[in-house]
Amino acid sequence: MMPGARHSLADEVFAALIDRSVMAEHFPMLLSGGIPDLGLTIHSHFLTVLAGVGQSMHYATVAECPIWWAREDGVGDVRADSVWFDKTPLRPRLAFEFERFERGDEGKLRGKIENLAITSNNTEELGLCVLVYWVRSGSAPRSMDAIIASYRDGFRRNGRVVPPAGTPLMLVKCVMREVVGTDRLVFGEFLRDERNERLALGRV
């Protein structure tokens, strides 16, 4: 970002994510010692991390939040992994999806992006959608183009046309590293993909 440039909501949220103070105070196992990669262990830890970061930014945060206000769209039940609400008024401001990525998992990420698009289209005051995908160190999707196309161009679900999303999208890779000599993983870093964020809204 250029000196003196205005900080966006995405910039503020990413700055809070990469500030390790919440993780160090409340989730030390993610920084030292590590946690096993079993079932939903990593997913559960990071949904709680997202809640903690949101609370540190003075939002009311809800994990596994049904987007109940989108039911009339006929697209079925939609649930976001984390929704941050402004406390006054009590309206959803940010929506997050958190998903593991391994080779061939592009379809899972696309489904998460579609959930965010539905949330965007049904939430008038939503300021930001965020997809966080976690990988083991050295892994990454080959291309995000097909994944973000649904957000930019729209798609069909349950026979209904879902139009393109208009809410800014932030894409964050969460890198997990192996603890040498164990079967555990520790948090490495968050990396932001600003190029694909622009492409998701049809910008270059």
Side-chain angles (χ1 to χ4, degrees):
M1 177 175 293
M2 297 294 293
R6 184 173 179 271
H7 288 267
S8 67
L9 180 58
D11 295 330
E12 294 172 4
V13 172
F14 188 69
L17 285 174
I18 63 176
D19 179 351
R20 298 189 176 204
S21 58
V22 169
M23 202 177 290
E25 181 176 358
H26 300 291
F27 310 98
M29 70 289 285
L30 291 173
L31 298 177
S32 62
I35 57 176
D37 180 12
L38 295 173
L40 295 175
T41 302
I42 291 176
H43 190 269
S44 297
H45 277 72
F46 275 93
L47 261 57
T48 315
V49 168
L50 288 175
V53 172
Q55 290 163 358
S56 76
M57 296 181 70
H58 309 292
Y59 290 101
T61 63
V62 179
E64 300 283 3
C65 183
I67 311 302
W68 66 83
W69 53 92
R71 286 181 177 173
E72 294 181 2
D73 257 13
V75 294
D77 290 334
V78 176
R79 184 187 308 266
D81 283 327
S82 186
V83 176
W84 297 2
F85 293 79
D86 280 328
K87 292 182 179 179
T88 306
L90 288 172
R91 293 176 182 168
R93 181 70 172 146
L94 301 97
F96 293 76
E97 289 281 31
F98 183 88
E99 185 58 75
R100 178 185 192 133
F101 176 81
E102 293 182 302
R103 185 181 297 275
D105 280 349
E106 285 82 1
K108 288 199 305 183
L109 295 188
R110 189 180 306 113
K112 292 288 191 176
I113 283 284
E114 291 178 358
N115 284 347
L116 291 173
I118 292 169
T119 304
S120 168
N121 286 327
N122 286 276
T123 313
E124 183 176 350
E125 296 184 14
L126 197 69
L128 183 67
C129 289
V130 185
L131 172 66
V132 183
Y133 61 95
W134 78 266
V135 299
R136 287 175 177 259
S137 181
S139 300
R142 294 179 184 174
S143 171
M144 294 292 288
D145 292 348
I147 295 169
I148 63 175
S150 296
Y151 199 86
R152 180 186 62 236
D153 303 328
F155 56 96
R156 296 183 69 89
R157 181 178 287 189
N158 292 349
R160 298 294 185 98
V161 174
V162 178
T167 304
L169 174 70
M170 182 162 68
L171 300 169
V172 178
K173 179 165 70 172
C174 172
V175 180
M176 300 295 289
R177 306 189 190 282
E178 293 183 2
V179 178
V180 178
T182 76
D183 61 351
R184 293 172 176 260
L185 300 175
V186 292
F187 171 71
E189 60 185 335
F190 286 121
L191 299 171
R192 187 174 170 189
D193 184 354
E194 294 185 76
R195 173 186 175 274
N196 279 307
E197 291 171 14
R198 293 191 297 271
L199 291 176
L201 293 178
R203 302 169 185 162
V204 294

